Amino acid sequence: REQVLEVMPPLSLDARDITTRNMAGTGRQCHATDLLRLLPSVAPPDSLGLMAITSEDLFPRFDASHTTGLASASARVGACSWARFDPEFYGLARGADHRPSLFRRSAMLLAHEVCHLMGLHHCLRDTACLMSASSCLREADQRALHLCGSCLLALHCSIGFNLPRRCLELALFFDSIGFHAEAAALQKMLPSLQEPLPLPGTDSNQGHNNALSDCNFVKAAPS
């Protein structure tokens, strides 16, 4: 069945039971785990998953300084914050490249957390993969906006979709917004995706176990 993206009405965190704290130098933070507990109650019953996007700074637990994203594969919910992608968050002026940088980082974070939501863990094969772990913005900026072949196969086996069509449409989209290197990488991957792949839950998936060995379907960790 064709999946449709639906943007839901804004949800006020002030009116919800979300733990907050104040961090010296950056101000208010919201507890991401509280937010994830809230989301299943507002998710449409027929949804594949629900992702919350906020400009509020988030923290995953009280012994951690912050997180840009958190997701639960079991609950199919996630949350990501774009607060730290804005130089003004640190009291700095926005440069001329602020908007392109914000767009790329935000798109990468959202796609990364959605993949966690769908059951993918951090990639152990390719440091440039979208699902590679990062500990700072500099490391995150080195990642691609697309999955490596192994993680792409893992995602296909998790939810099922037309691999060649998805990669072609994503490549055309990247090209249309000026992400030409990303588009070229996906175009290069296309010839290897033409062979029909098994749908989730079929016995023929056994032949792909080796490709999936480093992309286990386990609960996501903070990114």
Side-chain angles (χ1 to χ4, degrees), residues 26-45:
T26 56
R28 187 173 88 154
Q29 289 184 311
C30 294
H31 196 191
T33 307
D34 283 352
L35 183 53
L36 260 59
R37 291 194 189 104
L38 163 69
L39 292 178
S41 66
V42 299

PDB file of all heavy atoms in Angstrom, residues 26-45:
ATOM      1  N   THR A  26      22.260  27.657  27.718  1.00  0.00           N
ATOM      2  CA  THR A  26      21.393  27.335  26.584  1.00  0.00           C
ATOM      3  C   THR A  26      19.911  27.395  26.928  1.00  0.00           C
ATOM      4  O   THR A  26      19.083  27.503  26.031  1.00  0.00           O
ATOM      5  CB  THR A  26      21.711  25.931  26.023  1.00  0.00           C
ATOM      6  OG1 THR A  26      21.602  24.963  27.080  1.00  0.00           O
ATOM      7  CG2 THR A  26      23.123  25.886  25.454  1.00  0.00           C
ATOM      8  N   GLY A  27      19.554  27.335  28.205  1.00  0.00           N
ATOM      9  CA  GLY A  27      18.161  27.504  28.589  1.00  0.00           C
ATOM     10  C   GLY A  27      17.379  26.207  28.723  1.00  0.00           C
ATOM     11  O   GLY A  27      17.926  25.156  29.057  1.00  0.00           O
ATOM     12  N   ARG A  28      16.083  26.273  28.399  1.00  0.00           N
ATOM     13  CA  ARG A  28      15.182  25.163  28.655  1.00  0.00           C
ATOM     14  C   ARG A  28      15.433  23.972  27.745  1.00  0.00           C
ATOM     15  O   ARG A  28      15.703  24.124  26.559  1.00  0.00           O
ATOM     16  CB  ARG A  28      13.728  25.625  28.484  1.00  0.00           C
ATOM     17  CG  ARG A  28      12.713  24.553  28.903  1.00  0.00           C
ATOM     18  CD  ARG A  28      11.307  25.089  28.874  1.00  0.00           C
ATOM     19  NE  ARG A  28      10.697  24.936  27.559  1.00  0.00           N
ATOM     20  CZ  ARG A  28       9.384  24.836  27.345  1.00  0.00           C
ATOM     21  NH1 ARG A  28       8.554  24.888  28.381  1.00  0.00           N
ATOM     22  NH2 ARG A  28       8.899  24.724  26.131  1.00  0.00           N
ATOM     23  N   GLN A  29      15.311  22.792  28.365  1.00  0.00           N
ATOM     24  CA  GLN A  29      15.346  21.532  27.624  1.00  0.00           C
ATOM     25  C   GLN A  29      14.134  20.699  28.001  1.00  0.00           C
ATOM     26  O   GLN A  29      13.654  20.755  29.135  1.00  0.00           O
ATOM     27  CB  GLN A  29      16.605  20.726  27.962  1.00  0.00           C
ATOM     28  CG  GLN A  29      17.903  21.281  27.433  1.00  0.00           C
ATOM     29  CD  GLN A  29      19.058  20.348  27.757  1.00  0.00           C
ATOM     30  OE1 GLN A  29      19.222  19.912  28.895  1.00  0.00           O
ATOM     31  NE2 GLN A  29      19.864  20.030  26.751  1.00  0.00           N
ATOM     32  N   CYS A  30      13.647  19.913  27.045  1.00  0.00           N
ATOM     33  CA  CYS A  30      12.534  19.004  27.288  1.00  0.00           C
ATOM     34  C   CYS A  30      13.031  17.562  27.268  1.00  0.00           C
ATOM     35  O   CYS A  30      13.933  17.216  26.501  1.00  0.00           O
ATOM     36  CB  CYS A  30      11.453  19.184  26.216  1.00  0.00           C
ATOM     37  SG  CYS A  30      10.634  20.802  26.258  1.00  0.00           S
ATOM     38  N   HIS A  31      12.425  16.756  28.128  1.00  0.00           N
ATOM     39  CA  HIS A  31      12.829  15.355  28.248  1.00  0.00           C
ATOM     40  C   HIS A  31      12.288  14.564  27.060  1.00  0.00           C
ATOM     41  O   HIS A  31      11.082  14.365  26.922  1.00  0.00           O
ATOM     42  CB  HIS A  31      12.282  14.789  29.566  1.00  0.00           C
ATOM     43  CG  HIS A  31      12.930  13.514  29.975  1.00  0.00           C
ATOM     44  ND1 HIS A  31      12.441  12.726  30.989  1.00  0.00           N
ATOM     45  CD2 HIS A  31      14.039  12.875  29.510  1.00  0.00           C
ATOM     46  CE1 HIS A  31      13.225  11.665  31.140  1.00  0.00           C
ATOM     47  NE2 HIS A  31      14.195  11.738  30.254  1.00  0.00           N
ATOM     48  N   ALA A  32      13.193  14.088  26.193  1.00  0.00           N
ATOM     49  CA  ALA A  32      12.788  13.395  24.973  1.00  0.00           C
ATOM     50  C   ALA A  32      12.049  12.094  25.279  1.00  0.00           C
ATOM     51  O   ALA A  32      11.133  11.706  24.551  1.00  0.00           O
ATOM     52  CB  ALA A  32      14.013  13.110  24.111  1.00  0.00           C
ATOM     53  N   THR A  33      12.439  11.416  26.353  1.00  0.00           N
ATOM     54  CA  THR A  33      11.782  10.153  26.699  1.00  0.00           C
ATOM     55  C   THR A  33      10.330  10.379  27.088  1.00  0.00           C
ATOM     56  O   THR A  33       9.450   9.582  26.740  1.00  0.00           O
ATOM     57  CB  THR A  33      12.547   9.447  27.834  1.00  0.00           C
ATOM     58  OG1 THR A  33      13.922   9.316  27.466  1.00  0.00           O
ATOM     59  CG2 THR A  33      11.964   8.072  28.108  1.00  0.00           C
ATOM     60  N   ASP A  34      10.050  11.473  27.804  1.00  0.00           N
ATOM     61  CA  ASP A  34       8.660  11.828  28.124  1.00  0.00           C
ATOM     62  C   ASP A  34       7.870  12.078  26.847  1.00  0.00           C
ATOM     63  O   ASP A  34       6.702  11.676  26.725  1.00  0.00           O
ATOM     64  CB  ASP A  34       8.611  13.083  29.002  1.00  0.00           C
ATOM     65  CG  ASP A  34       8.956  12.801  30.457  1.00  0.00           C
ATOM     66  OD1 ASP A  34       9.082  11.615  30.819  1.00  0.00           O
ATOM     67  OD2 ASP A  34       9.105  13.775  31.219  1.00  0.00           O
ATOM     68  N   LEU A  35       8.502  12.736  25.896  1.00  0.00           N
ATOM     69  CA  LEU A  35       7.840  13.040  24.630  1.00  0.00           C
ATOM     70  C   LEU A  35       7.505  11.752  23.875  1.00  0.00           C
ATOM     71  O   LEU A  35       6.405  11.606  23.321  1.00  0.00           O
ATOM     72  CB  LEU A  35       8.735  13.948  23.781  1.00  0.00           C
ATOM     73  CG  LEU A  35       8.186  14.446  22.442  1.00  0.00           C
ATOM     74  CD1 LEU A  35       6.825  15.115  22.614  1.00  0.00           C
ATOM     75  CD2 LEU A  35       9.170  15.411  21.798  1.00  0.00           C
ATOM     76  N   LEU A  36       8.428  10.803  23.879  1.00  0.00           N
ATOM     77  CA  LEU A  36       8.171   9.529  23.208  1.00  0.00           C
ATOM     78  C   LEU A  36       7.038   8.755  23.879  1.00  0.00           C
ATOM     79  O   LEU A  36       6.271   8.063  23.204  1.00  0.00           O
ATOM     80  CB  LEU A  36       9.441   8.676  23.183  1.00  0.00           C
ATOM     81  CG  LEU A  36      10.229   8.693  21.854  1.00  0.00           C
ATOM     82  CD1 LEU A  36      10.656  10.110  21.498  1.00  0.00           C
ATOM     83  CD2 LEU A  36      11.452   7.776  21.936  1.00  0.00           C
ATOM     84  N   ARG A  37       6.911   8.874  25.187  1.00  0.00           N
ATOM     85  CA  ARG A  37       5.812   8.193  25.889  1.00  0.00           C
ATOM     86  C   ARG A  37       4.460   8.809  25.519  1.00  0.00           C
ATOM     87  O   ARG A  37       3.433   8.131  25.516  1.00  0.00           O
ATOM     88  CB  ARG A  37       6.010   8.288  27.406  1.00  0.00           C
ATOM     89  CG  ARG A  37       7.176   7.496  27.951  1.00  0.00           C
ATOM     90  CD  ARG A  37       7.100   7.379  29.461  1.00  0.00           C
ATOM     91  NE  ARG A  37       8.320   6.808  30.030  1.00  0.00           N
ATOM     92  CZ  ARG A  37       9.249   7.500  30.648  1.00  0.00           C
ATOM     93  NH1 ARG A  37       9.109   8.814  30.808  1.00  0.00           N
ATOM     94  NH2 ARG A  37      10.319   6.904  31.137  1.00  0.00           N
ATOM     95  N   LEU A  38       4.462  10.104  25.203  1.00  0.00           N
ATOM     96  CA  LEU A  38       3.228  10.803  24.860  1.00  0.00           C
ATOM     97  C   LEU A  38       2.754  10.474  23.443  1.00  0.00           C
ATOM     98  O   LEU A  38       1.547  10.351  23.203  1.00  0.00           O
ATOM     99  CB  LEU A  38       3.459  12.317  24.993  1.00  0.00           C
ATOM    100  CG  LEU A  38       2.455  13.254  24.322  1.00  0.00           C
ATOM    101  CD1 LEU A  38       1.108  13.182  25.053  1.00  0.00           C
ATOM    102  CD2 LEU A  38       2.973  14.690  24.311  1.00  0.00           C
ATOM    103  N   LEU A  39       3.678  10.326  22.516  1.00  0.00           N
ATOM    104  CA  LEU A  39       3.325  10.253  21.096  1.00  0.00           C
ATOM    105  C   LEU A  39       2.377   9.115  20.711  1.00  0.00           C
ATOM    106  O   LEU A  39       1.485   9.330  19.882  1.00  0.00           O
ATOM    107  CB  LEU A  39       4.597  10.187  20.254  1.00  0.00           C
ATOM    108  CG  LEU A  39       5.450  11.468  20.250  1.00  0.00           C
ATOM    109  CD1 LEU A  39       6.711  11.269  19.434  1.00  0.00           C
ATOM    110  CD2 LEU A  39       4.647  12.654  19.717  1.00  0.00           C
ATOM    111  N   PRO A  40       2.507   7.906  21.261  1.00  0.00           N
ATOM    112  CA  PRO A  40       1.565   6.845  20.846  1.00  0.00           C
ATOM    113  C   PRO A  40       0.108   7.201  21.083  1.00  0.00           C
ATOM    114  O   PRO A  40      -0.776   6.754  20.345  1.00  0.00           O
ATOM    115  CB  PRO A  40       1.987   5.641  21.697  1.00  0.00           C
ATOM    116  CG  PRO A  40       3.441   5.870  21.972  1.00  0.00           C
ATOM    117  CD  PRO A  40       3.561   7.360  22.142  1.00  0.00           C
ATOM    118  N   SER A  41      -0.172   8.034  22.088  1.00  0.00           N
ATOM    119  CA  SER A  41      -1.561   8.385  22.398  1.00  0.00           C
ATOM    120  C   SER A  41      -2.154   9.363  21.391  1.00  0.00           C
ATOM    121  O   SER A  41      -3.371   9.513  21.314  1.00  0.00           O
ATOM    122  CB  SER A  41      -1.654   8.993  23.805  1.00  0.00           C
ATOM    123  OG  SER A  41      -0.975  10.237  23.869  1.00  0.00           O
ATOM    124  N   VAL A  42      -1.302  10.024  20.611  1.00  0.00           N
ATOM    125  CA  VAL A  42      -1.812  10.984  19.622  1.00  0.00           C
ATOM    126  C   VAL A  42      -1.562  10.508  18.191  1.00  0.00           C
ATOM    127  O   VAL A  42      -1.935  11.192  17.241  1.00  0.00           O
ATOM    128  CB  VAL A  42      -1.174  12.385  19.829  1.00  0.00           C
ATOM    129  CG1 VAL A  42      -1.516  12.936  21.200  1.00  0.00           C
ATOM    130  CG2 VAL A  42       0.340  12.341  19.644  1.00  0.00           C
ATOM    131  N   ALA A  43      -0.939   9.345  18.021  1.00  0.00           N
ATOM    132  CA  ALA A  43      -0.663   8.824  16.686  1.00  0.00           C
ATOM    133  C   ALA A  43      -1.933   8.289  16.036  1.00  0.00           C
ATOM    134  O   ALA A  43      -2.743   7.640  16.701  1.00  0.00           O
ATOM    135  CB  ALA A  43       0.379   7.717  16.758  1.00  0.00           C
ATOM    136  N   PRO A  44      -2.157   8.552  14.757  1.00  0.00           N
ATOM    137  CA  PRO A  44      -3.302   7.955  14.062  1.00  0.00           C
ATOM    138  C   PRO A  44      -3.229   6.429  14.144  1.00  0.00           C
ATOM    139  O   PRO A  44      -2.143   5.854  14.047  1.00  0.00           O
ATOM    140  CB  PRO A  44      -3.131   8.445  12.618  1.00  0.00           C
ATOM    141  CG  PRO A  44      -2.304   9.691  12.735  1.00  0.00           C
ATOM    142  CD  PRO A  44      -1.386   9.458  13.889  1.00  0.00           C
ATOM    143  N   PRO A  45      -4.363   5.764  14.339  1.00  0.00           N
ATOM    144  CA  PRO A  45      -4.347   4.305  14.534  1.00  0.00           C
ATOM    145  C   PRO A  45      -3.802   3.510  13.357  1.00  0.00           C
ATOM    146  O   PRO A  45      -3.312   2.397  13.537  1.00  0.00           O
ATOM    147  CB  PRO A  45      -5.816   3.972  14.796  1.00  0.00           C
ATOM    148  CG  PRO A  45      -6.592   5.127  14.238  1.00  0.00           C
ATOM    149  CD  PRO A  45      -5.721   6.321  14.416  1.00  0.00           C
TER     150      PRO A  45
END
